[in-house]
Amino acid sequence: MSSPDPHPLDKHSSDKDSRVTPDPENRPERDNAHDVRQPRNPAVRGPVIAVTGAASGVGAALVSRLAASDEVKQVVAIDERRGDCAAAQWHVLDVRDPAIAEKLRGADVVVHLALDLDLETDPAARTAYNVRGTQTVLTAAAAAGVHRVVLCTSAMVYGALPDNDIPLSEDSELRATAEATGVGDLLEIERLGRRAPRAHPGLNVTVIRPAVLVGGTDTALTRYFESPRLLVVAGSRPTWQFCHVEDLVSALEYAALEKVEGELAVGCEGWLEQEEVEELSGIRRMELPSAVALGAAARLHRIGLTPSPAGDLAYTMHPWVVSVSGLHAAGWRPRWTNEEVLAELLQEVAGRHTVAGRRLGRKDATAAGAAGATVALLGAAAVVRAARRRRGL
């Protein structure tokens, strides 16, 4: 998964206000997913685990965690560049290269995290990389005698719909469409994962689906909190469930060590209603009719002024929170609460300014803040017309 390295908060506070502005001086330190613990016993008989996308983000954090584990015999790290973990065995290559099969020989488990979910990537190129890479890794793993592949997608695959149960069970139907950023790729990756054991008997596929991921990430959903006002579509029922990168890494470790299997969601316990998010963040809402908000988002994206398609708005309108009962049954628990992850997110986005998914420079941000995000969105039609005039359309 292509995301920057996580920057975790320090330990908990029970007061909601202090969660939004945490004081590291008054909190015990939390274990960091990047910390290198005591070297493992070289005689350990645990599995050999390969990780793709291992040089940065979630992949780098998982490699460090596995390399320090007494339950892991060896970590094989695969990426297009070498990462920082000296304890891993590194192979530098593109995951779409069939030569990856030879690099996986001897591995028991592969955790496939080499995904491009960057908002700024060309959608066709992103899909080509994500789908071809997953196909190649699954085929190569089977050819190399690997018995388990762990895929990481997103709880977004369930879809954000007004009639969703709260929370959704992990075996709920996947009702998402390809209208939101990267979701079409994730649905195809899951389809490949379901098909792989039939095509390659003996290969087991485990899927981990995180809620809104926070911790050095940049997505349409984290950019929502960079706006001067929180957009609320009239008549919608937003609910928020977060997943800190540290908790995702620990869940992936569970899957890699074969403590869980199947299709599993991961995230904080429970969820936050929109009103709670506004109270905790201190950011006021702006409420717009659905036709105005969706129409403006679609027009701005169509002419290339914003990276987020209108489909991304559904995930800020309708519930898609999930139960994490599968991991709970195996003894896993999240270390972060929704309130704490929201606080971390607000710290990360401080100083950034986004309207309708588009990052603004300092001058533009000042104007947008003064005018308000409502004016920015309601003026979308004028922006579209001006852009068309410049392009001679």
Side-chain angles (χ1 to χ4, degrees), residues 260-333:
V260 291
E261 62 179 14
E263 297 167 345
L264 304 152
V266 57
C268 300
E269 304 276 9
W271 61 90
L272 299 174
E273 302 286 348
Q274 182 72 20
E275 292 76 14
E276 294 178 283
V277 167
E278 292 167 18
E279 179 184 355
L280 289 165
S281 68
I283 307 175
R284 293 164 53 193
R285 74 164 59 192
M286 67 166 179
E287 191 164 306
L288 292 177
S290 176
V292 172
L294 292 170
R299 288 192 295 271
L300 289 169
H301 181 67
R302 189 164 55 247
I303 64 170
L305 292 182
T306 62
S308 298
D312 286 343
L313 272 181
Y315 291 89
T316 70
M317 294 170 59
H318 307 305
W320 54 289
V321 300
V322 290
S323 165
V324 293
S325 58
L327 282 161
H328 275 208
W332 179 91
R333 294 293 184 274

Side-chain angles (χ1 to χ4, degrees), residues 9 20 25 30 53 110 126 139 145 171 182 209 222 258 328 364 380-381 389:
L9 277 173
V20 177
E25 297 299 324
R30 173 195 302 274
V110 175
R126 181 174 60 218
T139 302
D171 61 358
R209 300 166 176 157
T222 59
E258 304 185 74
H328 275 208
D364 290 336
R389 284 197 297 271

Side-chain angles (χ1 to χ4, degrees), residues 13-96:
S13 167
S14 60
D15 181 78
K16 281 191 174 183
D17 291 335
S18 65
R19 286 171 179 161
V20 177
T21 55
D23 182 1
E25 297 299 324
N26 296 327
R27 301 184 182 192
E29 292 185 359
R30 173 195 302 274
D31 288 340
N32 189 315
H34 282 273
D35 287 346
V36 177
R37 293 167 280 178
Q38 293 299 313
R40 64 188 183 283
N41 182 348
V44 69
R45 296 182 180 275
V48 175
I49 301 175
V51 179
T52 69
S56 63
V58 176
L62 180 62
V63 166
S64 293
R65 188 180 182 98
L66 294 174
S69 172
D70 289 333
E71 298 181 72
V72 178
K73 181 176 183 180
Q74 178 65 55
V75 180
V76 177
I78 299 171
D79 208 319
E80 294 178 54
R81 65 177 179 85
R82 186 183 177 89
D84 296 330
C85 183
Q89 177 184 343
W90 285 90
H91 297 293
V92 179
L93 81 165
D94 189 312
V95 291
R96 295 169 293 182

Side-chain angles (χ1 to χ4, degrees), residues 44-357:
V44 69
R45 296 182 180 275
V48 175
I49 301 175
V51 179
T52 69
S56 63
V58 176
L62 180 62
V63 166
S64 293
R65 188 180 182 98
L66 294 174
S69 172
D70 289 333
E71 298 181 72
V72 178
K73 181 176 183 180
Q74 178 65 55
V75 180
V76 177
I78 299 171
D79 208 319
E80 294 178 54
R81 65 177 179 85
R82 186 183 177 89
D84 296 330
C85 183
Q89 177 184 343
W90 285 90
H91 297 293
V92 179
L93 81 165
D94 189 312
V95 291
R96 295 169 293 182
D97 187 340
I100 194 173
E102 187 58 36
K103 310 305 180 186
L104 295 179
R105 203 164 299 281
D108 300 294
V109 179
V110 175
V111 184
H112 178 47
L113 299 175
L115 298 179
D116 181 1
L117 298 175
D118 193 318
L119 285 171
E120 309 298 338
T121 301
D122 174 74
R126 181 174 60 218
T127 296
Y129 178 82
N130 290 336
V131 174
R132 177 66 181 277
T134 302
Q135 286 176 323
T136 304
V137 167
L138 288 168
T139 302
V146 173
H147 67 261
R148 182 182 299 270
V149 173
V150 179
L151 302 176
C152 184
T153 60
S154 168
M156 293 176 77
V157 297
Y158 290 107
L161 299 158
D163 63 344
N164 275 346
D165 291 335
I166 302 178
L168 290 161
S169 63
E170 290 169 305
D171 61 358
S172 295
E173 179 185 358
L174 305 188
R175 298 199 289 164
T177 67
E179 295 174 355
T181 303
V183 174
D185 295 0
L186 299 179
L187 288 169
E188 179 61 16
I189 287 167
E190 294 225 0
R191 188 187 70 81
L192 293 169
R194 287 191 298 273
R195 192 176 67 182
R198 298 195 296 270
H200 308 288
L203 181 65
N204 180 291
V205 176
T206 298
V207 179
I208 301 295
R209 300 166 176 157
V212 179
L213 192 60
V214 174
T217 59
D218 177 24
T219 68
L221 294 168
T222 59
R223 287 192 184 189
Y224 177 83
F225 293 92
E226 298 177 16
S227 298
R229 296 287 186 270
L230 297 179
L231 171 63
V232 177
V233 175
S236 67
R237 184 189 176 189
T239 54
W240 292 90
Q241 179 186 31
F242 299 100
C243 177
H244 196 276
V245 165
E246 286 183 354
D247 284 336
L248 173 58
V249 168
S250 69
L252 289 168
E253 181 184 35
Y254 258 64
L257 292 173
E258 304 185 74
K259 296 178 181 180
V260 291
E261 62 179 14
E263 297 167 345
L264 304 152
V266 57
C268 300
E269 304 276 9
W271 61 90
L272 299 174
E273 302 286 348
Q274 182 72 20
E275 292 76 14
E276 294 178 283
V277 167
E278 292 167 18
E279 179 184 355
L280 289 165
S281 68
I283 307 175
R284 293 164 53 193
R285 74 164 59 192
M286 67 166 179
E287 191 164 306
L288 292 177
S290 176
V292 172
L294 292 170
R299 288 192 295 271
L300 289 169
H301 181 67
R302 189 164 55 247
I303 64 170
L305 292 182
T306 62
S308 298
D312 286 343
L313 272 181
Y315 291 89
T316 70
M317 294 170 59
H318 307 305
W320 54 289
V321 300
V322 290
S323 165
V324 293
S325 58
L327 282 161
H328 275 208
W332 179 91
R333 294 293 184 274
R335 300 202 56 173
W336 291 74
T337 67
N338 282 302
E339 292 88 348
E340 291 168 336
V341 182
L342 176 59
E344 169 89 349
L345 174 56
L346 294 172
Q347 287 185 334
E348 287 189 0
V349 304
R352 300 176 190 166
H353 304 278
T354 296
V355 171

